[in-house]
Amino acid sequence: MMNPSIPDLLRDLVSRPSVNPMGPDLRGHPYLEAGVTAYLEDYFRALNVPFTRQSVAPERENIVARFESPGATRTILWEVHQDTVPVVGMTIDPFAAEIRDGKLHGRGACDVKGGMTAMLTAFTRLVRERPAGAANVILACTVDEEHTFLGIQELMNQGIKADFAIVAEPTLLQIVDAHKGVARWKLRTEGRACHSSRPDQGINAIYRMGHVLAAIDQYAAELAVTPAHPRLGPPTLSVGRIEGGVSVNTVPDSCVIEIDRRLIPGESGQGAREHFINRVRELTTVPFVCDPLWMACPALDPSNSDTVRQLLGQAIDAVEGSHEVLAVPFGTDASTVTNAGIPAVVFGPGDIRQAHTKDEWIELAQIERAAEILFKLATI
Ligand SMILES: [Zn+2]
């Protein structure tokens, strides 16, 4: 097998759509990761390294390849997601993978097929050169990062062993060692429907929700002044959607809101939901029902990642001259990896400001430097 160049590799990945349906049961072009998974399988087979596929959901599989270094003293996990966000509203052809001015354009170029290209390039170089004293590297390409984190959860459930992990996301080649987590759930009020000309005969679920919302508003204000994480700030809560009623001449019997709760290290989504229910029930007597969490991702806790932060920092300095260690507002797979006992930080080429955008792109030169840094990290 020839070593594909970085532009060729990234073009191959971007031109294979892997759009996350974000909930609805959508299949076929351009949805789901199967085209990228098949490409990666061919790639690892040609490279002649051991790999496994893990079924996560119908047509959705993680693929995990291994570089085994004789006499290695450590094992590093490199994790990267295969899926992208949807392409609605994009102003460029999402899958043309066009290169202009040293930038490759397309859905996933920045988030995170550029990072995947860097990991594949460094991994391939390790396999080809087999440097003495290199670490073992497990390269795990997972599904469903953009919606419910099924891929990384399955990877960790299978019991992977590594000393530390690098999770690819666009960080402009800096180290991200802390971020908040998120938990989401729906809350509903119920009433009794009747004709709106005799509202006294019914119970208005929207009015009930009004009272509950006032209590939630107060609860959110209380949360904002609870002890904050020194780098991430306090936990927060926001109501992002509301839905209720069928027509203007019917007293509504149901109203639903959707809650987004940002978690700091040490908090669990489950615990946050229970705390919310207990406190809001003290603040209002109006009855409401909370659904189970439909999504939860913990915060990335930096307290155990000293070793990986230091070694990755050394590798970045060797290529870039210096580096920064940052906390960011967005969530990643790194927190799930850390919570499973493998300290993880986030690192990759590209700028998060270009992720999920209508003309997403990445600078090819940054991918090359990221690959160099990852290779150095494995051979320090
Ligand atoms: Zn991403």
Side-chain angles (χ1 to χ4, degrees), residues 6-7 10 41 58 104 149 152 186 208 222 261 280 305 348 371:
I6 282 173
L10 182 55
E41 171 157 17
L104 189 142
F149 314 106
I152 192 65
K186 288 181 176 172
R208 281 188 161 178
E222 290 175 7
R261 169 71 157 80
V280 176
S305 54

Side-chain angles (χ1 to χ4, degrees), residues 8 55 57 70 96 127 155 158 186 195 226 254 321 342:
D8 286 348
S55 176
V127 173
L155 183 76
Q158 301 252 341
K186 288 181 176 172
H195 195 274
T226 56
S254 163
I342 304 175

Side-chain angles (χ1 to χ4, degrees), residues 81 111-112 145-146 168-170 356:
H81 63 86
D111 187 3
V112 68
E145 189 274 342
E146 297 290 1
E169 291 294 350
H356 305 193

Side-chain angles (χ1 to χ4, degrees), residues 159-175:
I160 221 159
K161 284 202 170 52
D163 295 285
F164 55 79
I166 308 294
V167 169
E169 291 294 350
T171 68
L172 283 170
L173 307 181
Q174 306 301 334
I175 300 174

